Amino acid sequence: MTRIIVDADNCSRAVKLFLEKTSAEKNIGLVYAANKNIPFSSENPLYRMQVCPESKDAADDWIAENAGPEDIVITKDILLAKRLVDKSISAMNDMGKAFTKENIDYLVEERNLSLQMHQLGISTGGKWKSKTRHDTRSFEEGFWKILDQKKISL
């Protein structure tokens, strides 16, 4: 049975609310995994919070070990996404970008290059920005595509 598993400590509130609503409407289990309790907006037997140890990458490790090919994982972590894609598990970020066998190696290299440039003091132009409604809509569209690929009725 399909579950939605969220790397929840870094996921936007708008996306979490969308996932909670969709989980309830489609009768799909929803798991938040993080190093601390992250409350759901309402109670539902489909929702579960997986509190992981506070050690580095503990939530990522739990997700990688417990997600299966039938699941959909939401994460911003490119290295976690690579682990999932290598196991044929659907993964996407909270802006709607699906991680695939076709793009994951490029995204890992791009991440590594950006880190190297940062260590050298070279700006890559990346700036933190708040999520917009357009970002949330992009996420929703990407999420519906993955549900459709898994043949879960919309």
Side-chain angles (χ1 to χ4, degrees):
M1 179 166 187
T2 298
R3 296 175 298 171
I4 304 164
I5 302 174
V6 183
D7 188 357
D9 57 358
N10 212 351
C11 186
S12 73
R13 177 168 168 68
V15 166
K16 286 190 274 193
L17 289 173
F18 167 79
L19 292 172
E20 289 177 28
K21 179 181 173 197
T22 302
S23 166
E25 288 175 358
K26 302 294 179 194
N27 199 34
I28 301 171
L30 175 61
V31 180
Y32 286 173
N35 297 357
K36 61 182 182 246
N37 185 48
I38 297 179
F40 291 93
S41 65
S42 62
E43 288 191 29
N44 186 312
L46 293 169
Y47 304 162
R48 183 167 77 88
M49 178 66 224
Q50 177 65 44
V51 178
C52 301
E54 291 188 21
S55 58
K56 182 174 175 21
D57 296 329
D60 294 351
D61 292 341
W62 185 91
I63 292 168
E65 291 164 11
N66 289 278
E70 70 283 357
D71 296 323
I72 302 167
V73 177
I74 314 302
T75 184
K76 290 181 185 178
D77 187 317
I78 301 291
L79 298 180
L80 171 58
K82 170 110 172 91
R83 292 167 68 186
L84 297 167
V85 168
D86 287 348
K87 292 170 61 177
S88 298
I89 297 168
S90 298
M92 65 183 294
N93 68 16
D94 68 346
M95 298 196 49
K97 181 167 196 66
F99 299 112
T100 66
K101 290 187 186 300
E102 292 74 32
N103 71 10
I104 195 63
D105 289 330
Y106 172 78
L107 294 169
V108 169
E109 287 300 318
E110 185 178 60
R111 171 203 174 271
N112 292 342
L113 180 60
S114 180
L115 284 174
Q116 288 173 350
M117 291 177 70
H118 178 72
Q119 289 171 344
L120 294 171
I122 301 170
S123 173
T124 58
K127 302 273 186 223
W128 289 101
K129 66 175 185 127
S130 344
K131 299 281 186 279
T132 65
R133 284 192 183 143
H134 174 74
D135 295 332
T136 303
R137 243 178 282 132
S138 294
F139 172 79
E140 292 172 7
E141 289 169 8
F143 187 79
W144 291 128
K145 284 179 188 173
I146 290 177
L147 278 185
D148 188 45
Q149 290 168 356
K150 291 190 172 294
K151 306 293 187 234
I152 296 172
S153 63
L154 306 176

